[in-house]
Amino acid sequence: MNEHMQQLLNYTRREFFQRAGMGVGGAALTTLLANDLLGNIPSAVNPMAARESHFTPKAKNVIFLHMVGAPSHLDLYDAKPKLQELDGELVPDKLWEGLRLAFIREQPKLMGSPFAYQRQGEAGIPISELMPHLGSVSDELCMIHSLKTDHFNHAPAQLFFQTGFSRFGRPSLGSWVNYGLGSENSNLPGFVVLITGNVAGGGNSLWGSGFLPSVYQGVEFRSQGDPVLFLSNPKGMTGEDRKRIIDSVNHLNKVQLADVGDPEIATRINQYEMAYRMQTAVPELMDISNEPKHIHEQYGTQPGKASFANNCLLARRLVERGVRFVQLFDQGWDHHGNLVNGLKKKCKQVDQPIAALIKDLKQRGLLDDTLVVWGAEFGRTPMVQGDRKSPGRDHHKDAYTVWMAGGGVKPGFAYGKTDDIGFNVAEKPMHVNDFHATLLHLLGMDHERLTFKFQGLDMRITGVAGNVVPEIIA
């Protein structure tokens, strides 16, 4: 026996506790902190268990359509006859003085929309000629013409729109919903992400869990290869082999969870078991070829190909199976130039499938419980950017349009109003914080009570702001 071990054995009980005081205290502190951490998550054993909302919800699921790059609200939803009259005139001095824009540096000219508007449906909501299919479901839409954000650069504005904060490290809206309500399907994630085009500038933080346990982050489903990375068994391994390994690993994880109390261990247990169950559920979900012919014609889908239309159909299939939050990102809406051709192309890609999604949900009785949201990180300026032969519009944070459908919002309704040229909010402003508070309210959650203790503070997606807008709720 070495000398050091002999000294340890010769310690009396009192000497041991005197010398190990910091260690014993540290162990006690670790236990207290672990209990505090576990108190933040609804169930250390199954953190994704379905949970009761704060009050009776209007909606149970969300399909959130984020048009990455920010389309021009002035060319799609916010008709401005006065702007048409002033087309080609310089922006008034009083408006230009002190104005900061992302790219425009010299006093620009105003630009009316090159596209015609028509009043659609019984409610008479004006919608651009670029969105004829959406016009056919206009009576389901709740237009919000007065949204405001705090940022005019893409990545910070995207983060703010999805997380309520302009820097990395905060939970996304879908993660907050996942944390607050859990999942109704034990074989699929509660929060699924579908992407067409490149990933947005905000990156995967747009569906990340931030300081929440990572079990609540969004799971990206891919259009080609394994829908989820490493979903398939390695070559030579059977499903029974994999199950046996997962059971053994999770037995050890549960021992460690009981000992340490780290919520990330609960995440690991849940995700191992979820991955095994997903091996059957996900391939069946992602195979849209078994949908009827009329559904493919309605959406414009092509099985086996990556497209926004396919993702819209998958979104319906996901909420049909109880997935709580489905996020669609569609890249390519950043039109600083070539606005006419660029907007025509993008609208042609999304108009039919979005309208089909709303019709399909309604026909299946799902629209009442499913909130469909269309929006982007900011809007576009009423002044021209670049050459008038191929004009574009710059970023604009002070007023733009988003819309919702189903899920307890007023159908065929328009909220808020911008000024005559669509530059500032003239009536009923809605900040992004208010937008988040209202969306959570529709899901039966009080944004002031949906909190998570982090760094000694009860954190929430709306920070210290946010008010529910009852006028848009049916």
Side-chain angles (χ1 to χ4, degrees):
M1 182 179 295
N2 63 43
E3 185 178 349
H4 177 66
M5 287 297 295
Q6 186 62 52
Q7 285 179 330
L8 290 175
L9 289 172
N10 289 337
Y11 283 152
T12 66
R13 182 173 179 274
R14 178 170 294 179
E15 286 175 326
F16 171 77
F17 280 109
Q18 284 175 339
R19 292 173 179 267
M22 288 301 294
V24 173
L29 178 61
T30 300
T31 301
L32 290 171
L33 290 175
N35 289 337
D36 187 44
L37 284 169
L38 286 172
N40 276 295
I41 59 175
S43 170
V45 177
N46 181 13
M48 286 307 302
R51 292 177 284 282
E52 292 292 326
S53 54
H54 297 145
F55 46 84
T56 303
K58 297 279 188 177
K60 294 181 179 178
N61 312 292
V62 177
I63 297 174
F64 198 121
L65 313 173
H66 185 145
M67 306 294 105
V68 176
S72 169
H73 60 293
L74 295 167
D75 297 298
L76 297 179
Y77 306 120
D78 201 3
K80 293 296 171 186
K82 186 65 176 179
L83 184 60
Q84 301 298 108
E85 292 177 21
L86 298 174
D87 183 70
E89 295 188 17
L90 280 174
V91 171
D93 292 341
K94 64 179 182 180
L95 193 61
W96 177 247
E97 186 177 350
L99 181 64
R100 290 180 61 223
L101 296 172
F103 291 96
I104 295 175
R105 295 292 177 264
E106 297 182 358
Q107 189 169 358
K109 294 180 179 180
L110 295 169
M111 182 175 75
S113 178
F115 307 108
Y117 276 82
Q118 284 188 324
R119 292 192 175 274
Q120 302 282 358
E122 293 182 10
I125 293 176
I127 294 181
S128 168
E129 63 179 319
L130 294 178
M131 305 287 268
H133 293 278
L134 190 67
S136 69
V137 293
S138 62
D139 284 335
E140 304 295 340
L141 307 182
C142 178
M143 289 284 183
I144 300 168
H145 291 301
S146 53
L147 195 66
K148 301 176 66 174
T149 184
D150 293 348
H151 304 277
F152 61 55
N153 287 321
H154 288 292
Q158 290 162 4
L159 287 165
F160 194 68
F161 192 47
Q162 292 296 336
T163 74
F165 201 69
S166 60
R167 295 192 292 276
F168 298 105
R170 295 298 181 98
S172 61
L173 177 62
S175 293
W176 278 113
V177 172
N178 219 12
Y179 162 67
L181 296 177
S183 177
E184 294 182 338
N185 188 326
S186 60
N187 297 325
L188 292 169
F191 177 16
V192 171
V193 178
L194 301 165
I195 300 172
T196 41
N198 296 327
V199 176
N204 59 12
S205 289
L206 299 179
W207 59 91
S209 58
F211 48 70
L212 293 176
S214 56
V215 69
Y216 300 116
Q217 71 184 7
V219 177
E220 182 185 349
F221 280 14
R222 307 185 308 157
S223 300
Q224 295 178 332
D226 272 357
V228 180
L229 289 172
F230 312 115
L231 188 66
S232 299
N233 288 326
K235 199 169 183 179
M237 177 174 283
T238 67
E240 291 75 16
D241 293 335
R242 186 162 185 167
K243 183 66 168 65
R244 191 163 53 251
I245 291 171
I246 290 171
D247 288 344
S248 299
V249 170
N250 274 351
H251 172 73
L252 297 175
N253 281 333
K254 288 173 183 176
V255 171
Q256 189 179 25
L257 177 64
D259 183 41
V260 178
D262 184 350
E264 286 303 303
I265 301 173
T267 293
R268 198 179 307 146
I269 292 168
N270 181 274
Q271 296 300 70
Y272 274 134
E273 293 176 348
M274 171 71 76
Y276 179 75
R277 295 192 298 269
M278 283 169 60
Q279 287 188 306
T280 300
V282 171
E284 182 275 331
L285 162 75
M286 298 295 286
D287 181 12
I288 63 171
S289 62
N290 58 2
E291 290 282 347
K293 181 181 178 181
H294 75 273
I295 290 293
H296 290 299
E297 291 174 349
Q298 184 175 334
Y299 280 86
T301 45
Q302 294 179 293
K305 295 186 177 181
S307 71
F308 182 79
N310 283 16
N311 286 350
C312 282
L313 179 52
L314 286 170
R316 186 266 285 166
R317 290 168 66 88
L318 283 161
V319 298
E320 205 170 29
R321 288 160 173 78
V323 173
R324 185 76 67 185
F325 201 101
V326 184
Q327 181 85 59
L328 273 64
F329 290 100
D330 184 64
Q331 182 262 345
W333 294 89
D334 191 16
H335 298 127
H336 291 281
N338 195 27
L339 174 75
V340 174
N341 292 330
L343 206 52
K344 280 182 179 177
K345 178 182 177 182
K346 289 305 301 178
C347 288
K348 188 175 181 180
Q349 292 172 1
V350 307
D351 177 39
Q352 180 181 344
I354 291 175
L357 174 62
I358 293 172
K359 290 177 182 176
D360 197 11
L361 289 170
K362 186 171 184 179
Q363 185 269 326
R364 294 168 187 270
L366 294 171
L367 189 60
D368 289 343
D369 289 339
T370 303
L371 180 66
V372 181
V373 182
W374 184 100
E377 57 264 32
F378 43 64
R380 292 281 164 173
T381 56
M383 55 280 276
V384 67
Q385 179 186 352
D387 190 343
R388 292 285 294 192
K389 293 181 180 178
S390 184
R393 297 190 189 273
D394 204 352
H395 307 170
H396 189 58
K397 68 181 179 61
D398 295 320
Y400 70 109
T401 299
V402 298
W403 59 255
M404 301 180 180
V409 296
K410 289 181 181 176
F413 182 72
Y415 177 86
K417 185 179 179 181
T418 54
D419 60 25
D420 287 343
I421 62 171
F423 190 86
N424 286 312
V425 174
E427 296 177 10
K428 300 179 179 178
M430 180 188 291
H431 190 268
V432 168
N433 293 145
D434 305 324
F435 171 74
H436 288 156
T438 306
L439 192 151
L440 291 175
H441 182 88
L442 289 164
L443 289 164
M445 289 185 286
D446 182 344
H447 72 106
E448 293 183 342
R449 294 168 58 193
L450 183 64
T451 63
F452 187 90
K453 189 173 287 294
F454 177 66
Q455 295 183 340
L457 298 174
D458 287 330
M459 308 295 280
R460 67 189 209 210
I461 190 171
T462 50
V464 296
N467 294 292
V468 175
V469 180
E471 292 95 323
I472 72 168
I473 299 174

